[in-house]
Amino acid sequence: MGTLGRAVYTVGFWIRETGQALDRLGCLLQGNYYFQEQLSRHRTLMNIFDKAPLVDKEAFVAPSASIIGDVQVGRGSSIWYGCVLRGDVNGITVGSGTNIQDNSLVHVAKSNLSGKVLPTIIGDNVTIGHSAVLHGCTVEDEAFVGMGAALLDGAVLEKHAMVAAGALVRQNMRIPSGQVWGGNPAKFLRKLSDEEIAFISQSATNYCNLAQVHAAENAKSFDEIEFEKVLRKKYSRRDEEYDSMLGVIRETPPELVLPDNILPDKPQKGTQ
């Protein structure tokens, strides 16, 4: 780094330090409201050495997630709360429309015993369940990794394949397309049905839509959050059947309407 570069870096450092000091002062002045505002100085994107994350602007990265080093995240993908993607000794690639759910860990291996380089490659429209661990492995397009499963170095999960919750996929193991494997160590259980294969794609789509909702919620200002609290309090006390007997129609404000794809299914009258 030359003299000019060092000077620019130093100025940037002191500007950030001043900003953090002002943030701490602001939190102190806000008192109890500081906690409601959900402020955090956590770094979701972090360089390491000369490696920097590359995240598509249409991807969602939760505020408490950590993406470190040589990591690429594609369009429409979502990295959920508490996830860690650490690309230090090798790279991580996440395709488009993929969701890596809460508290999952994705890491890499520099190489295996035979010297093969082992990045972690995750394809398009993949679902990675909560608290999964992926290490130096490959997950092809539209595959499914269950909650708490672990894929070790060199493992390959082919397209339209599924790893059951809690399974351990050993080193260099390949799980063929259209099959479900589970257990510790993972073994073949059965073939996937056409409906289950379609579910994998639908799961990825649902999470892509849900990520947009979370991104919008995280972007709301303090005033918007407080306004919606008042609305929820007001409308939570209304009973639809009681109102209908009085001939009163109360429309839910647009601010409280959730997208159809994340609303629970309502049972139809006359059905159990």
Side-chain angles (χ1 to χ4, degrees):
M1 183 183 292
T3 303
L4 178 61
R6 185 178 298 277
V8 171
Y9 175 85
T10 302
V11 171
F13 173 81
W14 285 112
I15 289 175
R16 294 186 66 182
E17 286 292 305
T18 302
Q20 291 180 13
L22 291 173
D23 182 43
R24 289 191 291 271
L25 176 61
C27 292
L28 180 64
L29 295 176
Q30 286 180 307
N32 291 335
Y33 282 93
Y34 157 69
F35 299 100
Q36 297 180 26
E37 208 168 340
Q38 302 172 1
L39 296 177
S40 172
R41 289 185 292 275
H42 169 77
R43 297 171 65 183
T44 53
L45 304 180
M46 181 178 132
N47 295 11
I48 186 166
F49 311 124
D50 59 342
K51 302 172 182 177
L54 182 60
V55 178
D56 189 276
K57 63 180 182 180
E58 298 297 328
F60 167 68
V61 179
S64 58
S66 297
I67 300 181
I68 304 162
D70 185 9
V71 181
Q72 298 182 38
V73 179
R75 182 184 180 89
S77 288
S78 52
I79 313 300
W80 291 83
Y81 304 93
C83 286
V84 176
L85 280 67
R86 177 158 57 95
D88 43 17
V89 297
N90 219 319
I92 298 171
T93 302
V94 179
S96 301
T98 287
N99 62 92
I100 302 178
Q101 297 172 17
D102 314 71
N103 294 323
S104 292
L105 169 65
V106 182
H107 192 224
V108 290
K110 190 171 184 180
S111 62
N112 61 11
L113 292 176
S114 61
K116 182 180 179 181
V117 176
L118 291 175
T120 296
I121 301 172
I122 303 171
D124 299 335
N125 302 317
V126 172
T127 290
I128 308 294
H130 311 287
S131 300
V133 177
L134 278 66
H135 198 278
C137 58
T138 298
V139 180
E140 297 182 355
D141 298 346
E142 298 181 18
F144 189 101
V145 178
M147 294 183 287
L151 278 67
L152 302 185
D153 295 0
V156 176
L157 184 61
E158 294 185 356
K159 183 175 182 178
H160 293 157
M162 179 182 289
V163 173
L168 174 64
V169 181
R170 294 182 296 182
Q171 294 181 353
N172 303 316
M173 181 179 289
R174 176 177 288 269
I175 298 180
S177 177
Q179 295 185 3
V180 185
W181 286 50
N184 183 358
K187 297 179 180 179
F188 171 74
L189 299 180
R190 59 179 176 82
K191 291 187 177 181
L192 284 167
S193 66
D194 292 340
E195 291 77 10
E196 288 171 323
I197 291 175
F199 165 77
I200 295 176
S201 297
Q202 187 59 48
S203 175
T205 299
N206 290 344
Y207 258 92
C208 185
N209 294 334
L210 185 58
Q212 295 178 34
V213 176
H214 279 255
E217 287 293 315
N218 280 288
K220 285 180 179 176
S221 67
F222 175 75
D223 289 338
E224 289 175 308
I225 294 172
E226 289 298 300
F227 175 67
E228 289 188 8
K229 282 182 181 178
V230 174
L231 287 180
R232 287 193 176 92
K233 184 177 181 181
K234 177 181 178 181
Y235 282 89
S236 65
R237 299 186 180 184
R238 308 302 182 186
D239 182 88
E240 292 182 4
E241 292 187 5
Y242 180 78
D243 285 347
S244 66
M245 288 190 292
L246 298 178
V248 176
I249 299 176
R250 305 182 192 274
E251 295 184 1
T252 303
E255 294 86 350
L256 302 183
V257 177
L258 295 175
D260 291 338
N261 67 293
I262 66 170
L263 287 173
D265 293 333
K266 293 184 178 179
Q268 307 224 341
K269 292 184 178 179
T271 61
Q272 296 296 329

